[in-house]
Amino acid sequence: MINKDVIMVGGGAAGFFAAINIAAQNPELKVAILERAKEGLAKVKVSGGGRCNVTHAEFVPSELVQNYPRGEKELLGPFHQFMTGDTIAWFEERGVALKIEDDGRIFPVSNSSQTIIDCFLNEAEKHHVDIYYNHPVKTIEAENEQFIINTSEGFFSAKKIMIATGSNPKIWKLLEGLGHSVSQPVPSLFTFNIKDDRLQDIPGVVALDVEVRVLGTDLLSEGPLLVTHWGLSAPSILKLSAFGALELAKREYKFQIEVNFIKRSFDDCLEFLKSLKQGFAKKTVFKSTQFDLPKRLWHKLVLASQMTETTRWADLNKSQLEELASQLTTAVFDVDGKSTFKEEFVTAGGVNLKEVNFKTFESKLVKNLYFAGEVLNIDAITGGFNFQNAWTGAFIAAQHLSK
């Protein structure tokens, strides 16, 4: 049996961040991380295409929480204690320079997630945090004010533990054994699979600012839209998948979306097209790209509107004009299935938030049991928000675990 004062179960972002902060705040404590894989920080490594999207440039707690489909209410208080600015300062104090990109995402200046990983490994070594790789946890028992953790490599004991295993069904099972309830996990942050002639042969095309709604629901989002080989992606779609995670799972990922490519009303668009009919009479519609749309997308929408490549503006009849206005403002697509967004899979689901004290991130049911990160039923849209949840929860929990 190996005895420690505090054990983190899970060597990801939240586990490392908590362990380092506990050990730095109280060097007397024996702090350890148990990680099931042969190395930790796997999500940190792949996040942001290998650049690690550390957090997001949103500095007002009440606005930051709006990026969390689950956890919005619970994170407001914690974000007043530790949020984006604190994260930036924490890394910069340890020699990691960060930069803000135009879309608000924050990355290390080095553009490499290895910078963040090296920072964590150096800090863990500096503060004598013991890291046990290849130690999957089999059981967790609370007895006599101690936790006994059985791993594949032997037993550990600690007075206090923190669970930071992300979306891990086996660990959720163990937590249910300790009395916690877990919301059924469903995927969040995914792209939509769509087979449609209007999207054929134009992967890589981006419409910069569209509005997308899921028909039959009040789910609506806006932002860039990317055509992929299998359908649609980019922030407008990912936001819908996050906020609609439960609803879209219920529909087994078969539903319809309506896309407004130009964010104008049908009537407004129709009037504008009529004016083009006068002004561009002799030109072909196909070659007269409008509304700052990508040329290849305009071509597809024109051909879907009862026209050919040689149709001239002067020759358009009422129904063709209306059809083009409709393709531009209310184009309906059938979604059939989903695909993972890069390797950054995120899950909606986890430990019931009513069972956690968000002033400390301690369990309300089991004394000295703490949580941080995606093991809780908290998830965010893409852009560094899931990491900010991990840093905040881990930092606040560390303040209490280090006492």
Side-chain angles (χ1 to χ4, degrees):
M1 174 94 68
I2 298 172
N3 300 309
K4 300 288 174 186
D5 295 304
V6 189
I7 289 177
M8 315 296 121
V9 178
F16 264 86
F17 202 69
I20 291 163
N21 282 296
I22 293 163
Q25 288 166 34
N26 187 346
E28 303 294 304
L29 294 177
K30 287 186 287 188
V31 180
I33 296 172
L34 300 179
E35 166 56 42
R36 65 179 171 168
K38 63 175 187 289
E39 50 186 39
L41 301 165
K43 263 198 180 175
V44 169
K45 192 168 193 149
V46 299
S47 149
R51 295 195 297 147
C52 188
N53 184 186
V54 177
T55 182
H56 200 95
E58 177 52 80
F59 298 96
V60 180
S62 59
E63 288 172 19
L64 180 59
V65 294
Q66 288 168 25
N67 298 287
Y68 296 83
R70 283 146 292 274
E72 178 182 349
K73 188 167 98 274
E74 290 78 7
L75 287 174
L76 185 58
F79 282 156
H80 278 284
Q81 287 186 63
F82 188 93
M83 65 172 277
T84 314
D86 304 294
T87 299
I88 294 167
W90 191 96
F91 281 106
E92 295 198 330
E93 279 161 20
R94 287 155 184 83
V96 178
L98 300 175
K99 59 173 178 174
I100 300 175
E101 300 205 335
D102 293 344
D103 59 4
R105 292 182 302 162
I106 297 178
F107 292 93
V109 169
S110 67
N111 275 329
S112 170
S113 57
Q114 197 58 45
T115 307
I116 304 297
I117 292 170
D118 290 344
C119 168
F120 282 163
L121 294 175
N122 293 339
E123 288 293 312
E125 190 178 349
K126 176 176 154 191
H127 295 292
H128 310 294
V129 174
D130 292 323
I131 307 165
Y132 295 87
Y133 295 115
N134 295 312
H135 273 65
V137 169
K138 293 173 162 182
T139 62
I140 301 172
E141 286 171 19
E143 51 184 61
N144 305 329
E145 300 202 355
Q146 284 279 334
F147 290 94
I148 308 297
I149 300 173
N150 178 17
T151 77
S152 61
E153 302 299 313
F155 286 87
F156 290 76
S157 76
K159 279 203 174 100
K160 298 177 179 181
I161 64 171
M162 187 175 93
I163 309 294
T165 45
S167 306
N168 183 329
K170 284 182 181 163
I171 299 296
W172 282 330
K173 265 270 171 284
L174 298 184
L175 291 171
E176 285 176 336
L178 292 171
H180 274 282
S181 53
V182 172
S183 306
Q184 258 323 97
V186 297
S188 177
L189 282 195
F190 48 84
T191 60
F192 295 173
N193 293 355
I194 299 169
K195 280 200 174 80
D196 192 292
D197 287 345
R198 290 166 292 178
L199 306 179
Q200 280 299 93
D201 310 318
I202 58 166
V205 164
V206 177
L208 281 175
D209 194 17
V210 308
E211 197 173 76
V212 189
R213 64 176 71 242
V214 176
L215 295 177
T217 75
D218 53 7
L219 292 167
L220 170 76
S221 85
E222 44 190 46
L225 180 76
L226 166 71
V227 180
T228 68
H229 288 287
W230 56 87
L232 293 173
S233 182
S236 60
I237 296 296
L238 296 170
K239 220 179 282 181
L240 276 185
S241 77
F243 280 90
L246 304 178
E247 178 61 38
L248 302 182
K250 262 189 229 158
R251 293 167 182 242
E252 296 180 333
Y253 308 106
K254 290 184 197 305
F255 52 93
Q256 288 185 314
I257 56 170
E258 181 184 275
V259 181
N260 185 334
F261 287 104
I262 58 174
K263 285 173 82 172
R264 289 196 188 192
S265 71
F266 172 84
D267 291 341
D268 180 28
C269 176
L270 188 58
E271 285 312 306
F272 184 73
L273 294 177
K274 283 176 183 170
S275 73
L276 293 177
K277 180 173 155 72
Q278 304 301 319
F280 284 0
K282 290 182 178 170
K283 293 188 173 174
T284 66
V285 183
F286 189 80
K287 286 190 173 159
S288 320
T289 309
Q290 298 296 318
F291 305 106
D292 292 329
L293 283 176
K295 200 178 288 179
R296 292 194 294 157
L297 178 61
W298 171 262
H299 290 168
K300 287 286 188 181
L301 298 179
V302 167
L303 295 177
S305 307
Q306 313 162 14
M307 298 180 214
T308 68
E309 290 184 20
T310 56
T311 308
R312 296 183 315 157
W313 284 98
D315 302 331
L316 290 185
N317 60 35
K318 180 170 179 271
S319 110
Q320 285 170 313
L321 280 168
E322 286 176 352
E323 184 57 37
L324 182 55
S326 160
Q327 288 292 345
L328 289 162
T329 61
T330 57
V332 174
F333 294 89
D334 292 318
V335 177
D336 185 6
K338 58 174 176 50
S339 296
T340 304
F341 173 62
K342 296 183 180 165
E343 287 155 56
E344 299 173 40
F345 51 91
V346 170
T347 304
V351 173
N352 186 331
L353 303 185
K354 291 189 170 69
E355 300 166 0
V356 179
N357 173 0
F358 281 91
K359 289 192 172 75
T360 60
F361 283 78
E362 184 180 10
S363 162
K364 288 179 181 175
L365 310 181
V366 183
K367 192 173 154 53
N368 291 328
L369 170 64
Y370 290 75
F371 303 101
E374 280 184 55
V375 69
L376 294 166
N377 186 20
I378 294 177
D379 63 286
I381 62 172
T382 183
F385 301 105
N386 282 301
F387 275 143
Q388 187 55 54
N389 165 44
W391 313 138
T392 295
F395 187 85
I396 292 170
Q399 290 181 304
H400 298 275
L401 284 160
S402 63
K403 286 173 183 166

